[in-house]
PDB file of all heavy atoms in Angstrom:
ATOM      1  N   ASN A 177      66.880  -5.307 -20.314  1.00  0.00           N
ATOM      2  CA  ASN A 177      65.901  -4.706 -19.475  1.00  0.00           C
ATOM      3  C   ASN A 177      64.472  -5.272 -19.640  1.00  0.00           C
ATOM      4  O   ASN A 177      64.146  -5.545 -20.878  1.00  0.00           O
ATOM      5  CB  ASN A 177      65.824  -3.179 -19.597  1.00  0.00           C
ATOM      6  CG  ASN A 177      67.151  -2.488 -19.297  1.00  0.00           C
ATOM      7  OD1 ASN A 177      67.686  -2.759 -18.163  1.00  0.00           O
ATOM      8  ND2 ASN A 177      67.634  -1.801 -20.193  1.00  0.00           N
ATOM      9  N   VAL A 178      63.714  -5.455 -18.701  1.00  0.00           N
ATOM     10  CA  VAL A 178      62.310  -5.883 -18.736  1.00  0.00           C
ATOM     11  C   VAL A 178      61.534  -4.522 -18.942  1.00  0.00           C
ATOM     12  O   VAL A 178      61.691  -3.720 -18.036  1.00  0.00           O
ATOM     13  CB  VAL A 178      61.823  -6.496 -17.442  1.00  0.00           C
ATOM     14  CG1 VAL A 178      60.424  -6.884 -17.500  1.00  0.00           C
ATOM     15  CG2 VAL A 178      62.644  -7.789 -17.202  1.00  0.00           C
ATOM     16  N   VAL A 179      60.879  -4.310 -19.965  1.00  0.00           N
ATOM     17  CA  VAL A 179      60.172  -3.119 -20.431  1.00  0.00           C
ATOM     18  C   VAL A 179      58.663  -3.190 -20.193  1.00  0.00           C
ATOM     19  O   VAL A 179      58.016  -2.069 -20.226  1.00  0.00           O
ATOM     20  CB  VAL A 179      60.642  -2.609 -21.748  1.00  0.00           C
ATOM     21  CG1 VAL A 179      62.103  -2.398 -21.725  1.00  0.00           C
ATOM     22  CG2 VAL A 179      60.255  -3.585 -22.789  1.00  0.00           C
ATOM     23  N   ALA A 180      58.040  -4.322 -20.174  1.00  0.00           N
ATOM     24  CA  ALA A 180      56.701  -4.458 -20.051  1.00  0.00           C
ATOM     25  C   ALA A 180      56.409  -5.843 -19.421  1.00  0.00           C
ATOM     26  O   ALA A 180      57.197  -6.772 -19.624  1.00  0.00           O
ATOM     27  CB  ALA A 180      55.920  -4.187 -21.414  1.00  0.00           C
ATOM     28  N   THR A 181      55.365  -5.993 -18.615  1.00  0.00           N
ATOM     29  CA  THR A 181      55.099  -7.125 -17.755  1.00  0.00           C
ATOM     30  C   THR A 181      53.564  -7.714 -17.958  1.00  0.00           C
ATOM     31  O   THR A 181      52.710  -6.894 -18.290  1.00  0.00           O
ATOM     32  CB  THR A 181      55.495  -7.067 -16.379  1.00  0.00           C
ATOM     33  OG1 THR A 181      54.629  -6.054 -15.835  1.00  0.00           O
ATOM     34  CG2 THR A 181      57.000  -6.670 -16.331  1.00  0.00           C
ATOM     35  N   ASP A 182      53.495  -8.923 -17.626  1.00  0.00           N
ATOM     36  CA  ASP A 182      52.147  -9.601 -17.388  1.00  0.00           C
ATOM     37  C   ASP A 182      51.312  -9.478 -18.631  1.00  0.00           C
ATOM     38  O   ASP A 182      50.054  -9.118 -18.468  1.00  0.00           O
ATOM     39  CB  ASP A 182      51.524  -8.984 -16.119  1.00  0.00           C
ATOM     40  CG  ASP A 182      52.171  -9.564 -14.879  1.00  0.00           C
ATOM     41  OD1 ASP A 182      53.020 -10.369 -14.899  1.00  0.00           O
ATOM     42  OD2 ASP A 182      51.858  -8.959 -13.854  1.00  0.00           O
ATOM     43  N   VAL A 183      51.655  -9.760 -19.791  1.00  0.00           N
ATOM     44  CA  VAL A 183      50.860  -9.789 -20.984  1.00  0.00           C
ATOM     45  C   VAL A 183      50.276 -11.238 -20.908  1.00  0.00           C
ATOM     46  O   VAL A 183      51.104 -12.269 -21.112  1.00  0.00           O
ATOM     47  CB  VAL A 183      51.632  -9.549 -22.226  1.00  0.00           C
ATOM     48  CG1 VAL A 183      50.696  -9.733 -23.520  1.00  0.00           C
ATOM     49  CG2 VAL A 183      52.227  -8.115 -22.278  1.00  0.00           C
ATOM     50  N   THR A 184      49.119 -11.340 -20.460  1.00  0.00           N
ATOM     51  CA  THR A 184      48.591 -12.683 -20.321  1.00  0.00           C
ATOM     52  C   THR A 184      47.964 -13.314 -21.492  1.00  0.00           C
ATOM     53  O   THR A 184      47.452 -12.581 -22.331  1.00  0.00           O
ATOM     54  CB  THR A 184      47.539 -12.709 -19.226  1.00  0.00           C
ATOM     55  OG1 THR A 184      46.404 -11.844 -19.547  1.00  0.00           O
ATOM     56  CG2 THR A 184      48.081 -12.169 -17.888  1.00  0.00           C
ATOM     57  N   ALA A 185      48.021 -14.762 -21.564  1.00  0.00           N
ATOM     58  CA  ALA A 185      47.541 -15.555 -22.624  1.00  0.00           C
ATOM     59  C   ALA A 185      46.889 -16.657 -21.869  1.00  0.00           C
ATOM     60  O   ALA A 185      47.131 -16.869 -20.676  1.00  0.00           O
ATOM     61  CB  ALA A 185      48.639 -16.049 -23.520  1.00  0.00           C
ATOM     62  N   ASP A 186      46.100 -17.434 -22.596  1.00  0.00           N
ATOM     63  CA  ASP A 186      45.454 -18.688 -22.050  1.00  0.00           C
ATOM     64  C   ASP A 186      46.389 -19.628 -21.399  1.00  0.00           C
ATOM     65  O   ASP A 186      46.064 -20.251 -20.557  1.00  0.00           O
ATOM     66  CB  ASP A 186      44.430 -19.334 -22.972  1.00  0.00           C
ATOM     67  CG  ASP A 186      43.235 -18.367 -23.303  1.00  0.00           C
ATOM     68  OD1 ASP A 186      42.944 -17.414 -22.566  1.00  0.00           O
ATOM     69  OD2 ASP A 186      42.667 -18.798 -24.380  1.00  0.00           O
ATOM     70  N   ASN A 187      47.541 -19.762 -22.146  1.00  0.00           N
ATOM     71  CA  ASN A 187      48.433 -20.827 -21.566  1.00  0.00           C
ATOM     72  C   ASN A 187      49.801 -20.225 -21.014  1.00  0.00           C
ATOM     73  O   ASN A 187      50.814 -20.849 -21.116  1.00  0.00           O
ATOM     74  CB  ASN A 187      48.849 -21.677 -22.795  1.00  0.00           C
ATOM     75  CG  ASN A 187      49.508 -20.940 -23.963  1.00  0.00           C
ATOM     76  OD1 ASN A 187      49.409 -19.735 -24.022  1.00  0.00           O
ATOM     77  ND2 ASN A 187      50.019 -21.718 -24.868  1.00  0.00           N
ATOM     78  N   GLY A 188      49.717 -18.925 -20.487  1.00  0.00           N
ATOM     79  CA  GLY A 188      50.862 -18.346 -19.847  1.00  0.00           C
ATOM     80  C   GLY A 188      50.902 -16.971 -19.854  1.00  0.00           C
ATOM     81  O   GLY A 188      49.931 -16.274 -19.912  1.00  0.00           O
ATOM     82  N   VAL A 189      52.110 -16.398 -19.771  1.00  0.00           N
ATOM     83  CA  VAL A 189      52.211 -14.946 -19.598  1.00  0.00           C
ATOM     84  C   VAL A 189      53.577 -14.639 -20.422  1.00  0.00           C
ATOM     85  O   VAL A 189      54.551 -15.330 -20.549  1.00  0.00           O
ATOM     86  CB  VAL A 189      52.366 -14.464 -18.240  1.00  0.00           C
ATOM     87  CG1 VAL A 189      53.587 -15.083 -17.497  1.00  0.00           C
ATOM     88  CG2 VAL A 189      52.517 -13.019 -17.990  1.00  0.00           C
ATOM     89  N   ILE A 190      53.601 -13.284 -20.963  1.00  0.00           N
ATOM     90  CA  ILE A 190      54.681 -12.757 -21.678  1.00  0.00           C
ATOM     91  C   ILE A 190      55.164 -11.560 -21.016  1.00  0.00           C
ATOM     92  O   ILE A 190      54.364 -10.674 -20.526  1.00  0.00           O
ATOM     93  CB  ILE A 190      54.304 -12.414 -23.055  1.00  0.00           C
ATOM     94  CG1 ILE A 190      53.868 -13.586 -23.975  1.00  0.00           C
ATOM     95  CG2 ILE A 190      55.490 -11.655 -23.747  1.00  0.00           C
ATOM     96  CD1 ILE A 190      53.320 -13.300 -25.288  1.00  0.00           C
ATOM     97  N   HIS A 191      56.511 -11.492 -20.798  1.00  0.00           N
ATOM     98  CA  HIS A 191      57.183 -10.252 -20.305  1.00  0.00           C
ATOM     99  C   HIS A 191      58.077  -9.677 -21.378  1.00  0.00           C
ATOM    100  O   HIS A 191      58.753 -10.505 -22.045  1.00  0.00           O
ATOM    101  CB  HIS A 191      58.156 -10.620 -19.137  1.00  0.00           C
ATOM    102  CG  HIS A 191      57.383 -11.112 -17.880  1.00  0.00           C
ATOM    103  ND1 HIS A 191      56.209 -10.589 -17.410  1.00  0.00           N
ATOM    104  CD2 HIS A 191      57.432 -12.355 -17.258  1.00  0.00           C
ATOM    105  CE1 HIS A 191      55.814 -11.242 -16.341  1.00  0.00           C
ATOM    106  NE2 HIS A 191      56.418 -12.416 -16.320  1.00  0.00           N
ATOM    107  N   VAL A 192      57.966  -8.511 -21.605  1.00  0.00           N
ATOM    108  CA  VAL A 192      58.720  -7.908 -22.887  1.00  0.00           C
ATOM    109  C   VAL A 192      60.135  -7.385 -22.371  1.00  0.00           C
ATOM    110  O   VAL A 192      60.328  -6.773 -21.407  1.00  0.00           O
ATOM    111  CB  VAL A 192      57.880  -6.723 -23.436  1.00  0.00           C
ATOM    112  CG1 VAL A 192      58.639  -6.265 -24.702  1.00  0.00           C
ATOM    113  CG2 VAL A 192      56.437  -7.162 -23.737  1.00  0.00           C
ATOM    114  N   ILE A 193      61.112  -7.831 -23.271  1.00  0.00           N
ATOM    115  CA  ILE A 193      62.553  -7.413 -22.990  1.00  0.00           C
ATOM    116  C   ILE A 193      63.100  -6.618 -24.117  1.00  0.00           C
ATOM    117  O   ILE A 193      62.622  -6.828 -25.193  1.00  0.00           O
ATOM    118  CB  ILE A 193      63.452  -8.522 -22.531  1.00  0.00           C
ATOM    119  CG1 ILE A 193      63.370  -9.624 -23.630  1.00  0.00           C
ATOM    120  CG2 ILE A 193      63.002  -9.120 -21.190  1.00  0.00           C
ATOM    121  CD1 ILE A 193      64.183 -10.829 -23.419  1.00  0.00           C
ATOM    122  N   ASP A 194      64.105  -5.813 -23.921  1.00  0.00           N
ATOM    123  CA  ASP A 194      64.604  -4.903 -24.933  1.00  0.00           C
ATOM    124  C   ASP A 194      65.846  -5.460 -25.615  1.00  0.00           C
ATOM    125  O   ASP A 194      66.569  -4.799 -26.344  1.00  0.00           O
ATOM    126  CB  ASP A 194      64.930  -3.553 -24.510  1.00  0.00           C
ATOM    127  CG  ASP A 194      66.024  -3.466 -23.401  1.00  0.00           C
ATOM    128  OD1 ASP A 194      66.593  -4.466 -23.032  1.00  0.00           O
ATOM    129  OD2 ASP A 194      66.297  -2.375 -22.987  1.00  0.00           O
ATOM    130  N   GLY A 195      66.169  -6.794 -25.435  1.00  0.00           N
ATOM    131  CA  GLY A 195      67.307  -7.321 -26.078  1.00  0.00           C
ATOM    132  C   GLY A 195      67.177  -8.828 -26.195  1.00  0.00           C
ATOM    133  O   GLY A 195      66.149  -9.414 -25.629  1.00  0.00           O
TER     134      GLY A 195
END
Side-chain angles (χ1 to χ4, degrees):
N177 298 306
V178 176
V179 297
T181 63
D182 291 349
V183 175
T184 60
D186 289 348
N187 62 343
V189 64
I190 295 172
H191 299 301
V192 184
I193 54 178
D194 66 359

